[in-house]
Amino acid sequence: MIAEQMAAFISRANWGQISQEGREALKIRVLDSLACALGAVEGEPILILRKQIDDFGGKARCTLIGGGKTAPDRAAFFNSALVRYLDFSDSYLAKGETCHPSDNLGAILAAGEYAAASGKELLTALGVAYQVQCRLSDVAPVRDRGFDHVTQQAFSATAGACKILDLDKEHTANALAIAGTAYNALRVTRTGELSHWKGLAAPNTARNGLHAAFMGMNGITGPPAVFEGNKGWMETISGPWELNWGKEDLERVRWTVIKKYNAEIHSQSAIEAALDLKHEHELRPEEIKSIRIDIFDVAYKIIGGGEEGDKTIVRTKEEADHSLQYMVSVALLDDQVLPAQYAPERIEREDVQNLLRQVTVRPEQSYSERFPGEMACKVTITTRDGKEFIQEKRDYEGFFTRPASWETVENKFRFLSAPYAAKDLQQKIIEVVRGLEEAEVRDLTRLLADPRGFK
């Protein structure tokens, strides 16, 4: 049974299997995720969730980032929502699927605090989750079949939680079977008019994955043939695929990419190209007549106005950060794409609303053939006096061909956390993450809830 094979992989995974490069990559992604989380503490749906948690209570076992404690599954949901809300977290690009493996951190952090785990155990569990989600995205994409990418995350969040809870193969297999049967999500989350759920679907799956792990830990059984069985996951959701879990390692994290701009992942190279053109040629946005973006088909389909809806209708943060037209336009106007570019008053301003309607996005077959090894695009800006400026890109700073350094991510952490966390608290968090393999999970969660350090 595939669930048993996956469970065996999870059970035997250990710190010694992760290369030095992989360990560094995992710590960088923890810091990147916490940067996103601290930068989101005043997000509209975050405040709604916090009120709901306060109303419902729950045994206070696990930390809420920003202060307070609650039950583990609620902490997993809330902290994952913080990581996800800004849409500034890491990504993994497969040919038919894109996912955000940092979506697993909230579940693993809560499980690790519950189990009094070490930082080394947290990093190992996170490596397991990255491997499971990324490899399922490689071989079992579900987007074109109408399911959301968090569908694979049901297995990865469960896998990471089971690992840090130190469950054996049998209990892990049952948890995976429960998750894969119960927690499958629809792609309508990211099509048409976008809602808060775009940023909460993955946190919900993180919560569910941890819940499945606890059920498996306590002896609840699940369908053993969840993947290959009659009416199972392959038949109804993914189609057939093969993966030899006996040969999998824990290195897939090194092929995940970190965002340079606070924008949907497939937009990164186009934004960088547009800004390069502006600065190189000293272009003024009011002089721009038109912008044409030739890009790989996945970007066109998801954020360019292809099969997932018109992207020139932009009214909310959720619509703005999934509109290539908006993101490139606001970058040219403001010289950046950061959380401030998604404030309601910025989205509604006439300058960006007018400019985004001058943007044409087209899929380019040759670029599509090079994806995901490249994020190729060509940006052409035509000015009102008839001049044409062209920039072509193959990648961007943060792609695995030009990976983000620790220093780059540390600067991102300081910038995003600055409005909410005092400098000394920022420094303590950075130091704990930098040496996480020598720390305990509770050393980190204690800082993330320090009421004296938050503004």
Side-chain angles (χ1 to χ4, degrees):
M1 299 288 186
I2 295 173
E4 292 179 351
Q5 296 167 14
M6 187 187 295
F9 160 74
I10 295 164
S11 296
R12 67 173 172 267
N14 62 79
W15 179 249
Q17 290 178 278
I18 308 174
S19 68
Q20 190 58 45
E21 294 82 0
R23 295 172 183 180
E24 180 74 3
L26 286 165
K27 289 191 287 186
I28 285 175
R29 280 147 186 82
V30 170
L31 188 64
D32 187 70
S33 299
L34 294 178
C36 297
L38 291 174
V41 294
E42 291 184 352
E44 181 183 6
I46 303 301
L47 298 176
I48 295 170
L49 290 179
R50 185 58 185 254
K51 181 179 183 301
Q52 180 171 306
I53 287 171
D54 291 344
D55 285 347
F56 290 174
K59 194 170 184 180
R61 299 289 294 270
C62 293
T63 295
L64 297 170
I65 294 174
K69 285 182 176 289
T70 188
D73 56 345
R74 292 172 187 170
F77 190 15
F78 182 79
N79 292 337
S80 295
L82 283 169
V83 172
R84 191 73 186 88
Y85 175 68
L86 293 181
D87 205 354
F88 210 167
S89 52
D90 68 9
S91 297
Y92 179 75
L93 307 174
K95 192 68 177 176
E97 198 80 81
T98 297
C99 65
H100 302 274
S102 53
D103 289 339
N104 297 289
L105 178 61
I108 295 168
L109 190 66
E113 186 176 13
Y114 172 89
S118 68
K120 189 178 293 185
E121 289 169 327
L122 184 143
L123 291 169
T124 303
L126 193 62
V128 166
Y130 269 68
Q131 195 73 22
V132 169
Q133 188 167 13
C134 295
R135 293 298 284 132
L136 285 177
S137 297
D138 284 333
V139 302
V142 300
R143 184 177 62 221
D144 289 345
R145 298 168 71 97
F147 290 92
D148 196 34
H149 62 258
V150 305
T151 299
Q152 293 97 337
Q153 186 202 347
F155 295 108
S156 59
T158 304
C162 287
K163 184 62 190 176
I164 203 165
L165 291 171
D166 197 26
L167 303 193
D168 62 21
K169 174 183 168 183
E170 179 183 357
H171 290 86
T172 298
N174 277 312
L176 293 168
I178 292 166
T181 302
Y183 310 135
N184 299 293
L186 296 180
R187 186 67 186 177
V188 71
T189 297
R190 292 168 221 285
T191 65
E193 183 177 347
L194 299 180
S195 67
H196 285 154
W197 197 248
K198 179 180 75 69
L200 296 178
N204 183 60
T205 301
R207 185 259 310 276
N208 289 338
L210 180 56
H211 185 59
F214 280 131
M215 286 193 287
M217 181 181 76
N218 289 311
I220 301 295
T221 61
V226 56
F227 287 106
E228 65 273 71
N230 181 17
K231 303 298 188 295
W233 204 78
M234 285 186 176
E235 183 179 334
T236 60
I237 294 175
S238 70
W241 50 270
E242 292 184 6
L243 197 61
N244 185 346
W245 290 102
K247 293 185 177 181
E248 288 298 311
D249 56 31
L250 298 178
E251 296 294 311
R252 192 56 51 169
V253 61
R254 294 167 58 192
W255 280 265
T256 58
V257 298
I258 287 175
K259 290 184 178 181
K260 179 178 183 179
Y261 307 102
N262 188 181
E264 199 273 349
I265 187 60
H266 302 105
S267 70
Q268 301 287 311
S269 57
I271 294 172
E272 189 177 77
L275 286 174
D276 284 353
L277 283 176
K278 178 183 179 179
H279 298 147
E280 180 180 350
H281 302 286
E282 299 182 344
L283 299 177
R284 298 172 61 187
E286 61 269 24
E287 296 173 344
I288 294 174
K289 179 181 179 181
S290 65
I291 303 166
R292 192 181 77 216
I293 304 171
D294 298 284
I295 202 162
F296 50 98
D297 58 358
V298 173
Y300 172 69
K301 289 177 181 178
I302 296 175
I303 58 173
E307 64 185 33
E308 298 200 354
D310 186 350
K311 298 301 179 179
T312 63
I313 301 172
V314 178
R315 299 154 295 191
T316 65
K317 185 261 183 202
E318 287 79 11
E319 290 174 340
D321 69 25
H322 265 55
S323 165
L324 184 56
Q325 289 88 333
Y326 177 85
M327 292 180 285
V328 167
S329 296
V330 83
L332 288 168
L333 288 162
D334 295 359
D335 278 329
Q336 60 186 7
V337 188
L338 291 167
Q341 277 60 59
Y342 298 110
E345 59 272 19
R346 184 66 191 100
I347 293 170
E348 294 166 5
R349 272 171 51 185
E350 188 174 344
D351 59 351
V352 71
Q353 289 290 336
N354 288 339
L355 187 56
L356 72 86
R357 287 173 173 80
Q358 310 311 312
V359 180
T360 302
V361 182
R362 306 189 309 187
E364 168 54 49
Q365 181 63 29
S366 63
Y367 295 161
S368 303
E369 292 170 355
R370 288 149 59 182
F371 180 83
E374 296 181 10
M375 291 184 69
C377 70
K378 181 171 69 175
V379 175
T380 304
I381 296 179
T382 303
T383 55
R384 297 189 185 280
D385 60 3
K387 294 179 181 178
E388 190 174 81
F389 304 91
I390 299 173
Q391 178 75 294
E392 194 168 12
K393 287 278 182 178
R394 299 173 62 180
D395 59 11
Y396 73 94
E397 184 187 7
F399 198 64
F400 57 78
T401 52
R402 283 199 280 153
S405 66
W406 174 270
E407 290 73 22
T408 296
V409 175
E410 182 177 322
N411 289 335
K412 179 177 176 179
F413 175 85
R414 291 185 187 278
F415 175 83
L416 289 175
S417 63
Y420 310 108
K423 286 186 178 180
D424 61 339
L425 178 59
Q426 293 174 31
Q427 186 61 35
K428 289 175 183 177
I429 293 171
I430 290 168
E431 290 173 358
V432 168
V433 176
R434 195 76 182 98
L436 194 53
E437 66 270 44
E438 304 299 331
E440 302 296 317
V441 170
R442 290 177 180 173
D443 294 333
L444 180 58
T445 57
R446 190 177 302 113
L447 293 174
L448 294 174
D450 184 356
R452 296 166 298 171
F454 285 95
K455 297 180 181 179

